Every structure is written in C-alpha cells, then in structure tokens.
Amino acid sequence: MEYKKPLWNPSQERITNSNMTSFISYVNSTFGKDIKNYDELYNWSITEIPNFWKAISDFGDIKYSKHCKNILSSHNMFDVSWFSGAKLNFAENLLNYKDSRTALISIKENSPTVKLSYKKLYEQVALCAQLLKSLGVEKGDRVAAFITNIPEAVIGMLAAASIGAIWSSCSPDFGIQGVIDRFGQIQPKILFAVESYSYNGKIIDCNEKLMQIGNAIPSIKNIVIIEQDIDKQFSKRSKSDKFINYNELSHNTSSLIVFEYVEFNHPLYIMYSSGTTGKPKCIVHGTGGTLLQHYKELCLHTDLKRNDVIMFFTTCGWMMWNWLVSSLTVGASILLYDGSPIYPKISTLWDLIDSHNVTIFGISPKFLSINQEKGYIPKNLNRLNSLRTILSTGSPLTSDNFNWVYENVKDDVLLSSISGGTDIISCFMLGNPLLPVYSEEIQCRGLGMKVEVYNEKGESVINKKGELVCTAPFPSMPVSFWNDPDKKKYKAAYFDFYQGVWRHGDYILLTERGSIVVFGRSDLTLNPGGVRIGSAEIYNILEKIDEIADSLVIGQNWKNDVRIVLFIVLKENLSLSTQLKERIKLKIKEEATPRHVPSKIIQINEVPRTINMKKVEIAVLKLINGENIDNKEALANPDSLEQFKNLPEIHAD
C-alpha cells in the first residue's frame, strides 16, 4: 500500500479524555478483557456480537421497562431478532434530562434565535403527545410531517414515539407527487405541516401543496398547522375541521408524559429510498436498534458529550436529521438550522459556529467545495475556537476537500468522513477520536459492523476494490419494508446477490490499517473493457480543474462494451473548447489510467440532483437509453433531465 502521511493526529489528551477510551476501560473491567486500542476493540465487537451490544446498552444506561431474555436470536442476517422480550420507549431515552441546559437552538432565515431547555422540551412533548392522543393516535399509527428543520419537528417526533406511533417526515421542498408517493403508501393518520418557509431569502408558500396532499391521502384525518413567524396564513383555512393550529398546544394542561413501552423491534421511523427511478421503497426502522446504533455512533465515534453543541446541515427528509436528533440521548445541545447554508452570506454557517460555540459541525462535500470556489477562508474571518470535529457525508470527500479544511479552516480538527445510508439509518464506516486522518479515507469501520470487501468471485479482499458487504447482523438493519409481508422486497434489496450477506451497493477499498476509500455506488460502477472504475475516482480529479463547476459521469453500453461519458458544467461564461476537452482527458489519464479517460465530454447546464444533493447518474443513464423516468418528484431540479433527451453526441462514435 502506498505510504501516506496523516493530515491530523489526535493529541494524547484528546485520546485519554474520549468516550471511546472510557468504553474500552468499561469493556475490559466488565468482560475481563485486555483491549489496548481500537483495532482490538473492533475485533472484539464483531466476534462477541451479543456482548458488544449489551455493553453499548449498559454503558449508555439505556432505559427499559422490561429487560431482554436473549440479545441475539440468530446469526442469520435475514431472519434475526434482537433483545427479545425487552420493552422500552425511544422518547423516554431522549428525554432523560429535564434540566435547564439547552436542548435545542433553532436558527431560521431572518428570524430570531429560539432556545429550548431540556425541561421546556419535555413539557412541549407532553403537550403535543396529549394533542395526538386527543386526535385518536395510538400505538402503531403513522404520524407524518411535511416540515422544515425546526423544534416542532423534534417535538412532534418525540410525542409520536412516546405513544408508540411511527414517525415519517419529508421536507417541504419535495414536489407534491413526491410527498404523495411516500406518505400515500404508509397511510398516516396525522400530518404535521408548515404553511411556508424561507430559503435563500425567499418565502415559499406551501398552502396549495398542503391542500392537494390532504385531498390525495384519505387516511389523513387532521393536518396540524405550524405557523411560522414569517406568515399569518392560517386564518384562510380556520373553518375546516381537518386543520388544527399547533398553537392549540398551549391550551393543553398535561405536564407528564405517559410513555408507551414497545418491543425492541417495534417500528419507530419509516424512511424512503431515493425513488429517482420509480416509487420509493418504504424502509421501516425499529426502536431499539435505532437507539443503540445512534448512541454508539454519537457517543463513541463522534465523541459527543453533554457539554457539546452539535449541528448538521440537513433537512427532515434525510436520515441525518433522525441521526442528529438522537444527540438528545447524550444530553448535548442541538443546533437546528433552517435555510440556505450560504444566505445571506457565504459565512453564515461558520458564523453560527462562533456565535453558538458549536463543537461538532456536520456538512457535505458540496458545501466545502462551494466555499473553496468562492474563495472563503474561515480561519481568517472566524474564530472557530470551539470547533473540534467536522462531519461530512452525502458523497466521498475529495483530496481537495481534505486539504482545504486543514489549510483553510483549522489544522487541529477531526475531519470525519462518514458513510452508511437510509437503509441502515446509520453508518458502516465513520470517524474515530483515537485514530489519525488520512486524505480521501474514512477512518474506520463502525464498532459491531462486520464490514468486508468482496471481489467479483465473492472473496473477501484487502487493498483491492470491491463490493461493500456486511457479513454479520447488526441491530439497525430495517425491521421490514412497509407493505412487504413476505419480506420479498427486503430480501431482494440486500440479500439476493450474496446468500445470507448484506450487499450495500457501495464500491470501496479496505486498507491494511482498517480505513476505507469509497469510490461511489457499485451499481454505477463503470466497466470499460471489463475494468471496474468507481465514478468518484473521476470526480476527484475533476475537482482540481478550475473551469469545471460540476460534473456527472456514466457508463454507456456501446458496441458490446462500455464507454465513459462525462457531462460537465462549466463556470459562468465558459464554453467547452477542444483544448479544454483534451486537457481534461490528459489530466484524467495522468492521475488515473487510460481506462478512466471518457470517450465523450459533453457540456450541460446543471447536474440533476436529489433533494439531498446527490447526483442521479442512474436516471441519466436510463434517459440516454431511451427509458422513461417515472418519479421526477424526488429531484431538486427535475427540469434538468430534459437536457439529456435526444442528445446527438450520445449516439455517435
């Protein structure tokens, strides 16, 4: 393996004071072990799986009304149950603290900052739970939300969970059909909704969307309207019995939550696949598995503590929102941001770090690239004294991203690239306060996650690219897909390719030191001449070419082979010349291989992306093959697909 110098090493003080070090001591004393480092801890966690998850539960002081009889029923991944006999409540574990320390800090565009203490949060959840019960919500009912990243989203989720109801949310920037395609499948009884929100300084009215959604999904008995301080629209519909004002909470009197205790695998969340090529799958996540996995990742891998302030730029339609909210288990303060990350200025989020002493800051590689393109240098214009960790997910971090952070943000910061997904509502690989950071690498595999790399023969390999698989069960696997009683869709999604082994669909490399390099989705792997190439390998090189603002690469079937087609967005007022094409090809050839060089380079206006800013290569590939895209509602910019139709260059040599 090529020698690399770390970009960052943890100080001995940071290692000593970390939650991970405390956990190692706990495991050693409880189980009679002599674990000295992370590698040994990881190996123990995937060898003694029941003991490991019991240790997480006990170390985290997870509250149960009834303890389990058996932690793990079977090592058969497809047919496994966890903590059988246990009963607990998710909301109770997130509302363990009821003191004056800040639980939520809410920042919205052009609005005053709102703070809720843990005591006030508990009281608000109690009122909301009473409201839901008065509307007939019971254990197992679905409560949906068409909502922005505001305190009411957290309160609504916790209130639903306290009753044993199932929460499902999406952001209001989804198209109407996209919302109907999701919520229509799960038939919610109640819908929480905002009438409007502000993004990039513009107020977006959601009234028409709400009317159509309410009419299209007959299971919705009531829509709970959350008035934002940017509008006063509610009076327009006050005569309808279906609409209820969230402010009616203040008229309720309950100050105590009566928690409904549910089975460990009882559904907690319903999340959705991206749905860019068809109706989204409804992925059901269980109560106990979500709680334990999130606690492990936040407390140990993120090193989150009670005195931390954590922020992740996300919407309520992305699993990172669910993950972020679980920070309440640790008793930390969560900063909820609702708006554009660069409005009214490029420094908006960096300024929040200073003004609210954010210690853990979560963003995407795209955000870092925008800052780099705009020439913003945070270390020159912000203090960033509190900042200890930067989290990034959504796509692989490039070498440029890594270098930019350490050169322009802070040289003593843990830059944690994390990767997993909606499918597991958590991570397969992520950061670690005990380990160094290397450019383009994720630090480690998560504790309890037996991640391996399979080659084309289904053999486990190291230092070679291949499929990300997980070969042992973990508690945050979905408990089911909605409306999939025989689990046929569930089995087909993860277990059909390798018998009894979870195939995640990522193309990765596992290094000798246990770090991971992600090359993109394996179903998007390019295969020119039979050689497998990850799309991220090309994207990483293109990041270094000044003229390119964005890009998308696909593998087009062509004359009994596959050829690479590269679509690029150029910076303002630039056009694609022959000279630039040749320079791009030469750069790719020099930094990768001749196999990586695209056969076609085509200029486009914009790259199609999902609401969560992920590129949609599969949809573009389908389009150029003459296939229809059924579900454009999952895209942030659906009109961008039109530019790929009937492209003469794509059908020429």
Side-chain angles (χ1 to χ4, degrees):
M1 185 179 67
E2 176 190 359
Y3 174 77
K4 276 185 176 181
K5 184 180 178 182
L7 293 171
W8 177 85
N9 278 298
S11 65
Q12 188 55 53
E13 181 185 11
R14 184 158 185 167
I15 292 171
T16 301
N17 294 333
S18 70
N19 292 332
M20 190 77 80
T21 295
S22 298
F23 183 67
I24 289 174
S25 298
Y26 172 80
V27 169
N28 286 340
S29 62
T30 305
F31 296 94
K33 300 294 178 182
D34 186 27
I35 293 169
K36 300 180 184 67
N37 54 45
Y38 183 76
D39 282 348
E40 292 178 8
L41 179 66
Y42 174 76
N43 289 331
W44 174 77
S45 77
I46 60 171
T47 304
E48 298 186 28
I49 293 174
N51 283 344
F52 167 70
W53 288 106
K54 182 180 190 308
I56 291 294
S57 179
D58 292 348
F59 185 76
D61 195 24
I62 303 301
K63 289 180 166 48
Y64 299 88
S65 66
K66 188 177 178 183
H67 287 278
C68 74
K69 299 172 184 174
N70 185 25
I71 292 174
L72 182 62
S73 66
S74 158
H75 284 268
N76 178 348
M77 290 190 76
F78 179 64
D79 187 23
V80 64
S81 63
W82 290 89
F83 288 74
S84 57
K87 289 205 167 183
L88 73 167
N89 186 278
F90 186 80
E92 181 180 36
N93 279 281
L94 269 65
L95 293 169
N96 183 42
Y97 299 94
K98 305 177 188 68
D99 54 23
S100 60
R101 188 182 288 269
T102 300
L104 303 177
I105 305 165
S106 177
I107 311 287
K108 295 185 290 187
E109 288 187 359
N110 302 320
S111 297
T113 298
V114 173
K115 293 185 179 182
L116 282 182
S117 67
Y118 270 87
K119 181 176 185 291
K120 188 68 173 176
L121 176 62
Y122 181 95
E123 292 170 354
Q124 288 292 303
V125 173
L127 294 172
C128 190
Q130 183 183 2
L131 172 68
L132 290 176
K133 286 179 179 179
S134 72
L135 297 175
V137 176
E138 300 175 344
K139 175 183 175 182
D141 284 341
R142 276 74 63 208
V143 176
F146 178 77
I147 199 165
T148 50
N149 189 18
I150 54 178
E152 290 82 358
V154 180
I155 293 164
M157 181 279 287
L158 291 170
S162 74
I163 298 168
I166 307 167
W167 178 265
S168 189
S169 59
C170 73
S171 54
D173 51 358
F174 272 67
I176 294 170
Q177 194 57 49
V179 178
I180 294 168
D181 284 347
R182 286 160 173 77
F183 294 162
Q185 294 185 69
I186 67 169
Q187 299 179 306
K189 183 177 282 187
I190 302 296
L191 178 69
F192 283 90
V194 292
E195 288 190 314
S196 63
Y197 63 97
S198 176
Y199 190 86
N200 207 27
K202 180 183 177 184
I203 295 177
I204 293 98
D205 184 5
C206 300
N207 281 300
E208 183 58 35
K209 281 186 180 181
L210 281 180
M211 295 298 287
Q212 292 191 43
I213 292 164
N215 291 333
I217 305 176
S219 66
I220 297 175
K221 303 303 180 188
N222 293 102
I223 299 178
V224 180
I225 297 295
I226 299 159
E227 287 184 356
Q228 303 271 44
D229 49 12
I230 54 176
D231 65 26
K232 295 293 177 186
Q233 299 290 325
F234 181 76
S235 59
K236 292 181 179 179
R237 292 195 306 270
S238 58
K239 294 181 181 178
S240 170
D241 292 337
K242 193 167 192 171
F243 295 94
I244 295 173
N245 193 334
Y246 180 85
N247 290 338
E248 289 184 8
L249 285 176
S250 60
H251 302 310
N252 295 332
T253 56
S254 177
S255 60
L256 186 68
I257 304 171
V258 180
F259 294 105
E260 176 75 28
Y261 294 103
V262 299
E263 301 77 12
F264 190 88
N265 290 325
H266 179 76
L268 169 71
Y269 291 131
I270 298 177
M271 308 203 71
Y272 306 93
S273 62
S274 60
T276 52
T277 57
K279 263 195 176 181
K281 295 186 286 288
C282 306
I283 305 169
V284 184
H285 288 292
T287 298
T290 302
L291 181 63
L292 290 188
Q293 185 77 294
H294 285 185
Y295 175 80
K296 176 203 78 178
E297 294 183 347
L298 287 159
C299 177
L300 302 184
H301 286 277
T302 311
D303 201 27
L304 182 70
K305 299 173 181 173
R306 181 105 218 256
N307 59 357
D308 278 318
V309 179
I310 183 171
M311 170 190 176
F312 208 110
F313 179 72
T314 181
T315 70
C316 296
W318 191 17
M319 62 143 282
M320 293 312 301
W321 179 84
N322 308 72
W323 188 86
L324 176 67
V325 172
S326 290
S327 302
L328 295 171
T329 313
V330 179
S333 301
I334 302 173
L335 194 154
L336 306 172
Y337 181 75
D338 173 28
S340 165
I342 56 174
Y343 174 85
K345 50 188 177 177
I346 189 73
S347 66
T348 292
L349 298 189
W350 303 109
D351 294 342
L352 290 179
I353 294 173
D354 286 341
S355 56
H356 295 282
N357 295 316
V358 173
T359 53
I360 299 169
F361 176 52
I363 37 71
S364 67
K366 183 70 176 173
F367 174 77
L368 297 177
S369 296
I370 289 171
N371 277 263
Q372 185 175 2
E373 289 166 13
K374 301 280 188 184
Y376 189 75
I377 302 177
K379 73 175 185 180
N380 291 346
L381 298 161
N382 296 87
R383 296 189 309 278
L384 306 179
N385 294 335
S386 61
L387 184 62
R388 192 173 79 244
T389 299
I390 297 176
L391 305 172
S392 175
T393 192
S395 61
L397 281 170
T398 67
S399 59
D400 267 10
N401 294 147
F402 276 97
N403 292 333
W404 185 84
V405 166
Y406 284 105
E407 291 171 5
N408 297 285
V409 180
K410 198 173 186 180
D411 56 11
D412 185 19
V413 68
L414 170 53
L415 176 55
S416 289
S417 181
I418 63 178
S419 181
T422 299
D423 311 76
I424 63 170
I425 203 168
S426 58
C427 304
F428 277 120
M429 43 262 188
L430 62 171
N432 193 319
L434 308 187
L435 299 177
V437 172
Y438 291 89
S439 181
E440 298 178 81
E441 297 180 13
I442 299 176
Q443 286 174 285
C444 65
R445 293 169 286 181
L447 291 171
M449 310 297 277
K450 196 174 181 183
V451 170
E452 299 181 50
V453 179
Y454 276 10
N455 65 15
E456 292 174 350
K457 296 178 182 178
E459 301 165 332
S460 185
V461 294
I462 291 178
N463 282 335
K464 294 181 180 178
K465 301 170 190 174
E467 290 277 355
L468 187 165
V469 298
C470 193
T471 59
F474 53 95
S476 67
M477 294 187 296
V479 295
S480 66
F481 284 179
W482 197 255
N483 293 328
D484 183 28
D486 300 323
K487 300 186 83 169
K488 289 180 180 177
K489 293 179 185 176
Y490 177 58
K491 186 173 186 292
Y494 310 114
F495 296 103
D496 268 2
F497 202 85
Y498 300 112
Q499 194 63 37
V501 170
W502 177 290
R503 175 181 178 255
H504 193 60
D506 278 353
Y507 189 48
I508 69 169
L509 179 146
L510 176 64
T511 73
E512 289 173 342
R513 57 175 169 261
S515 58
I516 300 97
V517 181
V518 179
F519 297 100
R521 294 289 299 171
S522 59
D523 51 8
L524 298 171
T525 301
L526 314 167
N527 291 279
V531 178
R532 297 189 83 193
I533 294 171
S535 57
E537 297 177 70
I538 296 176
Y539 292 141
N540 290 350
I541 297 167
L542 298 175
E543 287 270 347
K544 303 170 186 175
I545 300 175
D546 290 339
E547 292 91 338
I548 297 177
D550 207 349
S551 60
L552 182 140
V553 64
I554 60 166
Q556 180 192 16
N557 292 329
W558 188 258
K559 294 185 177 179
N560 299 316
D561 197 356
V562 173
R563 68 177 182 180
I564 296 176
V565 179
L566 171 62
F567 298 98
I568 59 172
V569 180
L570 295 178
K571 291 180 179 175
E572 196 172 354
N573 299 323
L574 294 179
S575 57
L576 183 58
S577 64
T578 302
Q579 290 84 353
L580 181 55
K581 281 186 183 182
E582 293 306 314
R583 187 150 58 86
I584 292 169
K585 289 181 178 181
L586 181 61
K587 183 79 169 173
I588 293 172
K589 182 180 179 180
E590 288 176 343
E591 296 205 14
T593 72
R595 290 285 188 189
H596 290 72
V597 176
S599 299
K600 295 277 183 181
I601 302 179
I602 301 170
Q603 185 174 357
I604 57 174
N605 297 322
E606 60 178 325
V607 170
R609 292 180 179 271
T610 65
I611 300 288
N612 295 327
M613 296 309 292
K614 294 183 179 180
K615 300 179 185 185
V616 289
E617 291 102 331
I618 290 179
V620 172
L621 188 58
K622 282 179 171 285
L623 271 179
I624 68 170
N625 287 332
E627 300 176 46
N628 289 325
I629 306 301
D630 298 325
N631 189 15
K632 296 179 182 178
E633 298 291 335
L635 299 184
N637 53 346
D639 292 341
S640 64
L641 291 176
E642 294 299 317
Q643 63 194 321
F644 298 97
K645 292 181 179 178
N646 304 315
L647 277 174
E649 293 172 87
I650 212 75
H651 302 294
D653 288 327

